[in-house]
C-alpha cells in the first residue's frame, strides 16, 4: 500500500512528480502522480485517501499479464509465460486480463472520492464519467470513439479484457480501444484505464492454458474485436488530464 511516509494528496514513495513539460499554468482539479515501480507493485498500491488524482505508471518493453481481481491463475500457462519472459501479476480491480507493456497499452488510474461531484454509489453508472473523459481526450487527438452504455456488456472471451465491452468502455468502428475496471471502498474509487496501442490476439492466446487447436480457434475469434490507437502516450495522458479537469 501507500507507505506510511506518504500523506493523502502527496506522492507516495516510488513516485515521481510530473516533469515541467507536463505541468499546467492553471490550477488543476486532478493531481498527476507518476510512478516508477514494477507493474505488480503499482497495482498493489493502496488508494485510500488519494482522491482526485491521476496515477501514471512508467511502462517499459517488458510484458506483464495482469489478471483481474477474481481471475484464477489457472487460466494462464505460467510455464509458457515464464519461458517467454512474461510476468503474471494481479490487479485489485475486476475484469479480464490485460497484457501490459509500453508497446501494448497506455495505462492510467483515475481516483476520486465521495466529495467529487462525479461520485455515485451506482457502480455501473460510475464508469460513465471516466469513459466520457477518455472519449473527449481521444477526440481531441483525432480518434473519435463510441462509449458503451451502462448496464450492457458483451464478450467473445470473458477472460480477456479487450475481447469484450462493458459500461463506459470505448470502441472505434465497433472494435474496443479503451478498457476500464474499477475498485472502490466506501468513499473512494480507483478507475483503471487501459488505452490499447496495438492488438495482437496471438500474444494473449499463446499464454492461455489451452491446447494448440484451441489457441488457434481463440486467436481467430479475437482477430477483429479490438484495435489500437496511434497516438503518443504522453499526449494521451495530457489530453485525459485536461478532459478530467474540464469535466
Amino acid at each position: 500500500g501507500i507507505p506510511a511516509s506518504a500523506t493523502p494528496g502527496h506522492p507516495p514513495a516510488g513516485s515521481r512528480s510530473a516533469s515541467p513539460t507536463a505541468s499546467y499554468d492553471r490550477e488543476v482539479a486532478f493531481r498527476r502522480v507518476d510512478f516508477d515501480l514494477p507493474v505488480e507493485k503499482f497495482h498493489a498500491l493502496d488508494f485510500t485517501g488519494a482522491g482526485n488524482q491521476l496515477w501514471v505508471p512508467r511502462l517499459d518493453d517488458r510484458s506483464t499479464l495482469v489478471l483481474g481481481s477474481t481471475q484464477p491463475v489457472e487460466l494462464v500457462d505460467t510455464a509458457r509465460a515464464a519461458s517467454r519472459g512474461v510476468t503474471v501479476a494481479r490487479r485489485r480491480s475486476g475484469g479480464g486480463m490485460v497484457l501490459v507493456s509500453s508497446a501494448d497499452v497506455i495505462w492510467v488510474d483515475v481516483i476520486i472520492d465521495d466529495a467529487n461531484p462525479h461520485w455515485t454509489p451506482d457502480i455501473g453508472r460510475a464508469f460513465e464519467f471516466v469513459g466520457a473523459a477518455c472519449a473527449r481526450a481521444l477526440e481531441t487527438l483525432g480518434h473519435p470513439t463510441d462509449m458503451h452504455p451502462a448496464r450492457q456488456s458483451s464478450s467473445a472471451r470473458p477472460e480477456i479484457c479487450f475481447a469484450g465491452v462493458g459500461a463506459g468502455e470505448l470502441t472505434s468502428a465497433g472494435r474496443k480501444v479503451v478498457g476500464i475496471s474499477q475498485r472502490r471502498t466506501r468513499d473512494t474509487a480507483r478507475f483503471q484505464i487501459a488505452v490499447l496501442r496495438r492488438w495482437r490476439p496471438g500474444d494473449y492466446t499463446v499464454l492461455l492454458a489451452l491446447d494448440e487447436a484451441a489457441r488457434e480457434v481463440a486467436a481467430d475469434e479475437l482477430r477483429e474485436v479490438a484495435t489500437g490507437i496511434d497516438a503518443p502516450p504522453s499526449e494521451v495522458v495530457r489530453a485525459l488530464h485536461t478532459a478530467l479537469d474540464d469535466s
Side-chain angles (χ1 to χ4, degrees):
I2 293 179
S5 58
T7 56
H10 294 274
S15 67
R16 48 193 168 85
S17 298
S19 65
T21 58
S23 64
Y24 293 81
D25 293 329
R26 57 187 173 81
E27 186 175 349
V28 297
F30 282 80
R31 183 175 188 205
R32 173 173 171 170
V33 184
D34 290 63
F35 290 84
D36 191 0
L37 291 170
V39 170
E40 61 272 22
K41 290 187 177 181
F42 173 76
H43 285 288
L45 287 172
D46 182 10
F47 58 92
T48 304
N52 298 339
Q53 292 190 14
L54 191 75
W55 286 7
V56 184
R58 184 183 66 82
L59 305 181
D60 55 30
D61 59 1
R62 292 171 292 183
S63 295
T64 302
L65 186 66
V66 180
L67 304 181
S69 58
T70 64
Q71 289 190 293
V73 72
E74 288 76 18
L75 288 172
V76 182
D77 186 333
T78 53
R80 181 180 284 243
S83 71
R84 292 172 174 269
V86 178
T87 301
V88 179
R90 185 181 299 282
R91 63 182 185 271
R92 294 182 176 181
S93 58
M97 62 183 69
V98 182
L99 193 61
V100 176
S101 76
S102 56
D104 288 296
V105 296
I106 302 162
W107 194 284
V108 179
D109 283 7
V110 173
I111 303 171
I112 67 171
D113 58 28
D114 59 358
N116 188 292
H118 295 288
W119 173 269
T120 173
D122 186 322
I123 294 175
R125 293 291 179 190
F127 284 104
E128 294 182 345
F129 152 62
V130 178
C134 289
R136 290 194 301 273
L138 293 178
E139 177 77 30
T140 66
L141 299 175
H143 297 283
T145 58
D146 297 305
M147 188 171 72
H148 197 70
R151 311 286 183 208
Q152 296 184 23
S153 62
S154 62
S155 184
R157 296 195 68 93
E159 65 267 45
I160 297 174
C161 168
F162 284 98
V165 188
E169 297 184 320
L170 305 184
T171 60
S172 175
R175 302 173 70 174
K176 186 170 177 175
V177 295
V178 175
I180 308 172
S181 59
Q182 181 181 174
R183 172 79 174 181
R184 61 166 56 204
T185 64
R186 184 175 59 183
D187 56 9
T188 310
R190 179 180 184 178
F191 298 92
Q192 301 201 282
I193 303 164
V195 181
L196 194 60
R197 302 196 69 197
R198 66 180 183 187
W199 177 239
R200 303 198 305 192
D203 290 352
Y204 282 82
T205 57
V206 74
L207 301 175
L208 296 178
L210 300 172
D211 59 38
E212 288 304 323
R215 283 195 181 100
E216 291 181 10
V217 170
D220 188 60
E221 290 175 341
L222 297 172
R223 203 170 310 280
E224 303 296 327
V225 301
T227 189
I229 291 290
D230 183 16
S234 60
E235 292 186 14
V236 172
V237 174
R238 189 175 294 114
L240 177 57
H241 196 169
T242 299
L244 287 166
D245 290 342
D246 292 341
S247 296

